[in-house]
Amino acid sequence: MYKANKIALIIQSHELFPDFRSQKQIDILSELGMCINALVWNRSGSCRYIHEDHNVELSTIDLQVNHGLSAVSLMLNLPKFWYKAYQVICKIKPELIIANNLDAAIPAVLYKITNKCVVIHESREPYHKVFFMKTGWKFFEYFGWILDAFISHASTKVVTVTPNMVDMYRHMRITANYFPNAPKQEFINIDKTNNAIERDFLVFGFVGTIRPGVGIQKMAEAVSRHNSIPGNKKIKILLYGLVIDTYKTTLQEIEGKLRNFYEYGGALTPKDIPEIYKNIDVSFHLSENNEKFKNYALNVKIYESLAASTPVITNKIGENYDFIGEDSGVYWVDDESLNRIISSLVNSNGLFRNGEIGRNFIKDKEFIWELYAKDYKKMLLSLI
C-alpha cells in the first residue's frame, strides 16, 4: 500500500526550474502526495525558481562553467557537482530520485548503493555523443557510452523520451521506458479562431531557453533581409524564455537591427506558455547542434506549437522529420531554403489552415502528455 508524504527529489543540471519536463514530473509527484525537493546546477549563474502551484523546496549548486572554455570547464566542474550533489542528497534523504540526464544520475546512483532509494534515470539525449561533441575526442564518446550503460544498469528504472533512444538502450541490454515529452491537453484547447487581429505584419515566435545554437540569430538575419525589401509585409520576432547571460549582447544586436520588429516577452512558467501562442503566427526552432541531435531528439517545442494550431519553421534535426513527415503544419528548411520559405509564408493565406493541420496531427497521433502521464504514475506506484 502506497503511503503519501514520501520524500522525492528531482535533480537537473541546467538553470530553468521548473522546465517543460520537470513541471510534468512535479504534477505527478504532487498527485501522489509526495514532499517534493529539487536540486539544480546553476552552471551559468542565471538560475531562477519560477513559482508554480506546487510547493517545491529548491537547492542550487553554484558552480560556474566558463563558456569560453566550455568543454574543459564543464569536465573540471562535473566532479565538484557530483560531490556537492551527493552531500545534498544525503541531507534530504529522499525515497525517490528522478535524475534528469546522466550527470544528475551519477550522484543519485552513488546514494542508492548504500541507501534504500528508488532512482529514475531520465535520459533525454545520447551522452556519448554529447561528450564527443564537447571535446572532439573519440575517447570521450566511448567513455560516455560506458558510463551511461553502467549508471543505467545501476538505476532502478530508465526513462527516455524518443524511439531512437529506446533502441540505443536496447543495444546496451537495458529496457528503457518510453515517455515522450508530448504536449499537454491545454495546448490543444487554445482557441485561435478569434485571435486574427488585423495588423500589417506577421509574428514569428520562439519559446524556450534563449541561447546560442537554437537559430535565433539565423532567423533574425533572414527576417532583417526580408523586412529590408520594399513592399514586403513585415515580420516581427517575438521571444519568450530565460536568457542565458552570455547571449544578452547578441540579443541587443538583434534588437538594434530589427528595431520595432523585435520584442522580448520575458521568462514564463510552463503553465503560462499555452496562452502565448495566441500572439504567435508562426513558430520557429532551428537547431544548430547537428552532430549532437543527428539521430536523436523530439523537440517538445515543435509539438506544443502544432498542438496550439501554430505552423512551425524547423530543420530536419533529430527524429522530428521521421516522426512528423510532410503535410503536417511543419515547414522543413535548410540554409538555402529558409529565405524562400519565409517569403512564401508571408504571402500565404493558409496559415490558419496549416495550423489546424498541425493540431489534427497531434490529436490523430494521440501524442498528448496526459495519456502518457497515467502510465508514468503507475510506474512510480509500482516502485515506491
Side-chain angles (χ1 to χ4, degrees):
M1 176 69 71
Y2 171 75
K3 294 181 180 179
N5 297 321
K6 290 192 174 183
I7 300 173
L9 173 63
I10 298 171
I11 309 176
Q12 65 186 48
S13 56
H14 59 82
E15 286 74 18
L16 184 60
F17 184 84
D19 63 357
F20 296 94
R21 184 69 173 193
S22 59
Q23 181 59 53
K24 293 168 182 173
Q25 295 164 349
I26 291 169
D27 290 342
I28 291 174
L29 296 175
S30 180
E31 289 175 16
L32 294 175
M34 301 195 79
C35 300
I36 308 170
N37 295 263
L39 175 61
V40 178
W41 183 1
N42 185 23
R43 64 169 68 175
S44 296
S46 52
C47 179
R48 65 182 71 180
Y49 171 55
I50 299 179
H51 180 69
E52 291 290 337
D53 295 340
H54 311 306
N55 187 30
V56 178
E57 291 291 330
L58 179 67
S59 302
T60 62
I61 294 176
D62 299 311
L63 288 171
Q64 303 297 295
V65 172
N66 184 330
H67 287 272
L69 300 167
S70 58
V72 175
S73 183
L74 179 63
M75 292 299 178
L76 291 175
N77 277 291
L78 270 173
K80 299 177 186 177
F81 167 72
W82 293 332
Y83 174 72
K84 289 179 177 290
Y86 183 79
Q87 289 182 314
V88 174
I89 297 170
C90 290
K91 183 179 179 181
I92 294 174
K93 295 182 172 58
E95 294 155 280
L96 168 68
I97 301 176
I98 298 178
N100 291 324
N101 269 337
L102 182 64
D103 45 12
I106 289 172
V109 165
L110 291 175
Y111 179 79
K112 176 179 177 286
I113 291 172
T114 56
N115 298 271
K116 187 178 180 181
C117 179
V118 171
V119 172
I120 308 295
H121 174 200
E122 276 229 6
S123 180
R124 305 183 191 179
E125 54 193 7
Y127 250 67
H128 59 291
K129 295 291 185 184
V130 176
F131 279 19
F132 176 69
M133 183 190 72
K134 286 185 177 294
T135 63
W137 300 338
K138 199 69 176 176
F139 164 79
F140 279 102
E141 182 172 359
Y142 296 125
F143 172 75
W145 194 94
I146 294 168
L147 184 61
D148 196 348
F150 173 78
I151 293 298
S152 298
H153 275 291
S155 300
T156 311
K157 285 282 186 182
V158 176
V159 168
T160 193
V161 293
T162 81
N164 283 359
M165 290 285 288
V166 173
D167 290 340
M168 183 192 81
Y169 280 109
R170 187 176 294 117
H171 289 304
M172 296 180 182
R173 298 186 178 180
I174 296 166
T175 300
N177 295 263
Y178 174 54
F179 291 105
N181 211 3
K184 299 178 77 172
Q185 179 68 40
E186 57 196 302
F187 286 87
I188 295 175
N189 295 339
I190 293 298
D191 182 7
K192 297 181 74 170
T193 55
N194 298 319
N195 203 60
I197 303 171
E198 286 295 327
R199 43 180 159 78
D200 58 357
F201 61 90
L202 287 178
V203 175
F204 281 20
F206 175 88
V207 181
T209 304
I210 299 172
R211 56 182 175 79
V214 295
I216 294 172
Q217 194 167 7
K218 182 183 293 185
M219 180 58 77
E221 290 170 356
V223 166
S224 178
R225 284 193 296 269
H226 173 87
N227 287 351
S228 68
I229 299 174
N232 274 358
K233 185 174 184 177
K234 297 295 191 285
I235 299 170
K236 180 178 183 177
I237 286 185
L238 176 59
L239 307 179
Y240 289 101
L242 177 70
V243 181
I244 297 299
D245 289 346
T246 54
Y247 201 61
K248 289 179 178 178
T249 301
T250 302
L251 284 188
Q252 290 171 356
E253 294 171 357
I254 291 173
E255 183 176 12
K257 183 179 293 185
L258 295 178
R259 299 184 181 275
N260 293 334
F261 292 96
Y262 165 86
E263 182 181 346
Y264 172 59
L268 303 174
T269 73
K271 291 192 175 181
D272 291 330
I273 289 171
E275 284 292 323
I276 63 95
Y277 279 101
K278 289 182 177 180
N279 306 325
I280 296 173
D281 297 311
V282 179
S283 175
F284 68 90
H285 300 280
L286 301 170
S287 175
E288 298 168 15
N289 295 317
N290 295 343
E291 182 61 33
K292 177 180 176 182
F293 294 115
K294 185 177 181 180
N295 299 310
Y296 303 93
L298 297 177
N299 186 337
V300 61
K301 303 171 191 72
I302 293 175
Y303 301 97
E304 289 179 341
S305 299
L306 294 178
S309 291
T310 305
V312 183
I313 296 175
T314 190
N315 43 8
K316 296 180 181 180
I317 298 299
E319 301 166 60
N320 297 301
Y321 182 76
D322 291 338
F323 189 82
I324 299 172
E326 302 286 352
D327 302 321
S328 54
V330 176
Y331 297 90
W332 304 102
V333 301
D334 52 29
D335 290 342
E336 295 180 357
S337 64
L338 179 59
N339 293 325
R340 175 174 53 81
I341 292 294
I342 288 175
S343 295
S344 67
L345 276 172
V346 171
N347 297 315
S348 171
N349 294 319
L351 280 181
F352 179 76
R353 179 181 60 82
N354 287 337
E356 285 301 298
I357 290 172
R359 174 176 286 178
N360 290 333
F361 166 80
I362 296 294
K363 291 163 71 174
D364 292 344
K365 278 266 190 180
E366 295 187 333
F367 196 62
I368 301 167
W369 171 250
E370 282 78 1
L371 300 178
Y372 293 98
K374 294 177 182 177
D375 290 331
Y376 198 115
K377 186 176 178 180
K378 288 179 183 177
M379 178 191 73
L380 292 182
L381 286 170
S382 71
L383 298 173
I384 56 178

